[in-house]
Amino acid sequence: MMTKPTGRLHFLDAIRAFAIIMMLQGHFVHALLGDAFRDRSNTIYNIWEYFRGMTAPTFFTITGFIFTYLLLKQKNTGFDNPRVLKGIKRAIKVIFWGYLLRLSFYAVFTGTLNPSFFYVDVLQCIGTSLLLLIGVYLMLYRYNSRLFQRVVLSLGVVIFLLQPVYETFILDFLPKTLANYFTYKNGSVFTLFPWFGYVCFGSFMSSLFLKYGKRPLFYYYTPALLLIIGLLLIFCSSSLLMILYRITDITIFKSVAYNNFLFIRLGNVLVLFTIFILGRNYVSHPVITKVGGKTLSIYIIHFFVLYGSWLGLGLNRFFYHDLTPLTAAVGAIFFVVGICSLVLYYYKYETELKLKLNLLFNYIYRVIDFNLSEVISNIKREIIRTLKNIRFVRR
């Protein structure tokens, strides 16, 4: 018999842990696997690529879910809600790291900024999505939660349906730094649309969990409902869009149906939610919870190790598209375990490590200060001795 849900939804941490692990191995293999082995006719590679494509939709959906869950759980509303200010600070921090990780020290030393510094990646997109979600909440908090649910759901649907429109955006009239949030033309890896749509769907799901989550049978019928909707999105959404096109003669339904990756990936996320909800009693291990709670730190460390970030001296520089499938698979395992262990080890001994680092810096400062004092004293003595000699010679 399933246990009654507690205040903390551990399956959310488990989904985040799964997503960050998939991201780590996905980035490692994608960056280092040799070109000769990127064969889409190969079943194993096709399966790997398909599951890799679930990572970003899962991340954005779970981001909207968790943030909204914590936001609406508070009794205070508007700016009196402590989660609003925390969310704004968190969003700014995430955006800051998104840009900082792409900074090249070589470019800075030459008096410029590398072009990739202005590309919008997953962190900037997540941070901006949180700010938008907070904005929606602040506009609607005076009204009831049902309106908030309807608005975020509608935003998600509209954003997905308009994908053929904003996909063609060029936006040359905007500064590139701003345009990069809406177009891939200048090199951005992620853009605000369509990814904010997943955040909206996650937010909508979260509001339902808050509203109905305490009902006795909620965790019995919810997995079945999510599974049905998820499978319908995966296998039937394209057909449904074509039916809507034939009924309404609105061409955008047809355009989305022909390139229907957004709704299909949302279906993948719902199936994933189903699996983790059903297994929620088995995924509450402290290690899983800690990994799921440290995704930003894990992302930052992996970026340095794999891509080199500021100095460009990462694994990608030395093994770019160079590994065999076996080497890439084994390397990915060590990469995932190594990065997660490093981050968890740091947070486990964070206080002790900070104390030791503080003592080390204080010692270095004292040594440097002592040496400087000694050097200055020696210089003073030499100057005085030289002046005396000059006086003696004059006499």
Side-chain angles (χ1 to χ4, degrees):
M1 185 176 180
M2 294 184 181
T3 60
K4 189 177 180 178
T6 59
R8 184 179 182 88
L9 302 180
H10 291 285
F11 74 88
L12 296 177
D13 292 321
I15 294 175
R16 282 205 299 186
F18 172 80
I20 196 68
I21 289 171
M22 289 294 291
M23 184 273 294
L24 290 174
Q25 65 84 22
H27 283 186
F28 183 92
V29 174
H30 183 261
L32 307 184
L33 182 66
D35 290 325
F37 306 106
R38 298 169 187 263
D39 182 11
R40 291 187 175 177
S41 63
N42 184 289
T43 304
I44 297 176
Y45 181 79
N46 255 342
I47 293 173
W48 171 83
E49 193 173 45
Y50 185 85
F51 278 96
R52 176 176 176 263
M54 293 171 55
T55 304
T58 302
F59 250 121
F60 282 95
T61 305
I62 202 69
T63 296
F65 192 111
I66 291 175
F67 181 74
T68 302
Y69 187 85
L70 296 174
L71 185 70
L72 299 184
K73 200 176 180 181
Q74 301 293 324
K75 294 181 180 180
N76 296 333
T77 58
F79 282 105
D80 292 330
N81 188 331
R83 284 291 167 181
V84 169
L85 185 58
K86 287 183 179 180
I88 293 173
K89 289 180 179 178
R90 177 73 172 180
I92 293 173
K93 178 182 178 181
V94 170
I95 294 171
F96 171 78
W97 270 108
Y99 282 112
L100 190 61
L101 288 174
R102 287 190 163 273
L103 185 66
S104 168
F105 279 3
Y106 174 78
V108 172
F109 291 148
T110 57
T112 61
L113 286 174
N114 49 300
S116 61
F117 173 77
F118 299 99
Y119 297 168
V120 173
D121 210 330
V122 63
L123 294 186
Q124 293 98 315
C125 203
I126 287 177
T128 309
S129 295
L130 289 179
L131 292 177
L132 285 177
L133 195 59
I134 292 171
V136 174
Y137 165 78
L138 291 175
M139 286 189 293
L140 301 175
Y141 79 90
R142 296 185 183 88
Y143 309 101
N144 53 52
S145 59
R146 186 174 297 177
L147 179 60
F148 178 81
Q149 292 173 359
R150 290 173 180 174
V151 169
V152 291
L153 177 61
S154 300
L155 280 173
V157 173
V158 170
I159 289 170
F160 277 20
L161 289 178
L162 292 180
Q163 185 266 337
V165 177
Y166 54 73
E167 187 183 34
T168 60
F169 281 174
I170 298 176
L171 305 177
D172 286 337
F173 61 91
L174 290 177
K176 279 189 177 181
T177 305
L178 180 59
N180 286 344
Y181 280 87
F182 305 98
T183 178
Y184 294 104
K185 180 190 174 185
N186 303 319
S188 290
V189 183
F190 286 85
T191 54
L192 197 53
F193 305 124
W195 298 106
F196 179 57
Y198 286 106
V199 175
C200 290
F201 281 116
S203 180
F204 171 73
M205 292 169 58
S206 177
S207 65
L208 294 180
F209 269 70
L210 273 171
K211 187 174 182 179
Y212 303 109
K214 293 182 180 180
R215 295 188 178 184
L217 297 178
F218 180 79
Y219 282 86
Y220 286 95
Y221 61 73
T222 297
L225 183 61
L226 288 178
L227 180 61
I228 292 170
I229 297 174
L231 293 176
L232 286 175
L233 287 172
I234 294 170
F235 297 108
C236 303
S237 57
S238 297
S239 300
L240 178 60
L241 288 166
M242 287 302 297
I243 292 172
L244 290 173
Y245 163 67
R246 294 189 187 100
I247 294 173
T248 63
D249 202 32
I250 298 176
T251 55
I252 200 164
F253 291 124
K254 181 180 178 181
S255 300
V256 175
Y258 282 174
N259 188 28
N260 184 25
F261 66 95
L262 294 174
F263 287 105
I264 290 175
R265 288 305 188 187
L266 180 61
N268 293 151
V269 173
L270 296 183
V271 172
L272 190 65
F273 263 76
T274 301
I275 294 171
F276 278 93
I277 291 174
L278 289 173
R280 69 187 185 281
N281 295 330
Y282 309 100
V283 292
S284 57
H285 192 279
V287 173
I288 297 175
T289 301
K290 289 175 182 176
V291 170
K294 303 298 180 185
T295 51
L296 177 59
S297 299
I298 291 172
Y299 183 91
I300 292 170
I301 297 300
H302 112 280
F303 209 94
F304 277 100
V305 175
L306 185 58
Y307 301 112
S309 197
W310 300 333
L311 301 176
L313 298 176
L315 296 174
N316 190 48
R317 182 182 181 89
F318 304 103
F319 303 104
Y320 179 73
H321 288 201
D322 194 41
L323 300 184
T324 64
L326 179 61
T327 309
V330 174
I333 294 172
F334 280 102
F335 183 70
V336 170
V337 174
I339 297 297
C340 291
S341 299
L342 180 63
V343 172
L344 294 185
Y345 179 85
Y346 169 78
Y347 280 103
K348 182 178 181 180
Y349 301 102
E350 182 180 12
T351 304
E352 184 179 346
L353 287 171
K354 284 184 176 179
L355 179 61
K356 288 183 178 180
L357 285 173
N358 189 46
L359 292 174
L360 177 63
F361 288 140
N362 286 337
Y363 173 76
I364 293 172
Y365 174 78
R366 285 197 299 270
V367 170
I368 293 175
D369 184 59
F370 174 76
N371 289 337
L372 284 175
S373 300
E374 187 177 358
V375 168
I376 292 171
S377 298
N378 289 336
I379 292 173
K380 285 181 179 179
R381 283 196 295 269
E382 288 298 324
I383 291 173
I384 293 171
R385 187 181 297 113
T386 302
L387 291 174
K388 286 182 177 179
N389 290 335
I390 292 173
R391 288 172 188 164
F392 177 78
V393 170
R394 284 180 178 177
R395 289 174 184 174

